Amino acid sequence: VPFICPAKNIPEIDFAYYKDSYSEDWLIEIYSHTASKANGAKEVAQIVNADHITAFGDNLNDIIMLKDADRAVAVCNAVPEVKEIADIIIESNNNDSVVKFIENDI
């Protein structure tokens, strides 16, 4: 579904427009360019003094965060664009695969 975001010409604003992985809905997220998932992950990593970031994703709104992470993990039911950039692909999120990965790997 084509969409022209009226906020796209505002430098302080970012947005993500994508089809939901789990329904027929289209979603739009509009946010300050400083409030991205990638920036949030970096902020948390700094607060807890983490050595590296492992990020999990399934849809287009996760791509920037996954690219910035030290290790990008996608669930197998992620969109193709996410799986292409993932370092690791795990089972479907319907099988609690993120929790299992954290318990076994981190």
Side-chain angles (χ1 to χ4, degrees):
V1 175
F3 176 78
I4 298 173
C5 181
K8 77 176 188 172
N9 295 321
I10 302 172
E12 299 84 15
I13 300 293
D14 285 330
F15 74 95
Y17 179 66
Y18 56 95
K19 187 172 186 291
D20 183 37
S21 301
Y22 311 104
S23 72
E24 294 300 313
D25 296 332
W26 283 83
L27 306 173
I28 183 166
E29 298 174 8
I30 300 174
Y31 48 90
S32 163
H33 68 84
T34 62
S36 69
K37 288 182 174 187
N39 287 344
K42 288 177 199 172
E43 177 97 8
V44 170
Q46 185 177 25
I47 290 168
V48 301
N49 199 26
D51 294 332
H52 71 278
I53 296 172
T54 297
F56 299 85
D58 66 347
N59 213 324
L60 300 177
N61 63 328
D62 298 318
I63 288 178
I64 294 171
M65 175 184 62
L66 293 169
K67 284 183 175 181
D68 280 359
D70 298 296
R71 185 166 57 166
V73 181
V75 291
C76 68
N77 54 325
V79 297
E81 295 90 340
V82 168
K83 291 194 286 189
E84 283 176 19
I85 63 168
D87 299 309
I88 302 167
I89 298 175
I90 59 177
E91 289 183 57
S92 165
N93 61 328
N94 296 318
N95 298 332
D96 296 327
S97 61
V98 173
V99 172
K100 290 174 185 174
F101 184 89
I102 292 169
E103 287 177 341
N104 295 324
D105 189 75
I106 296 180

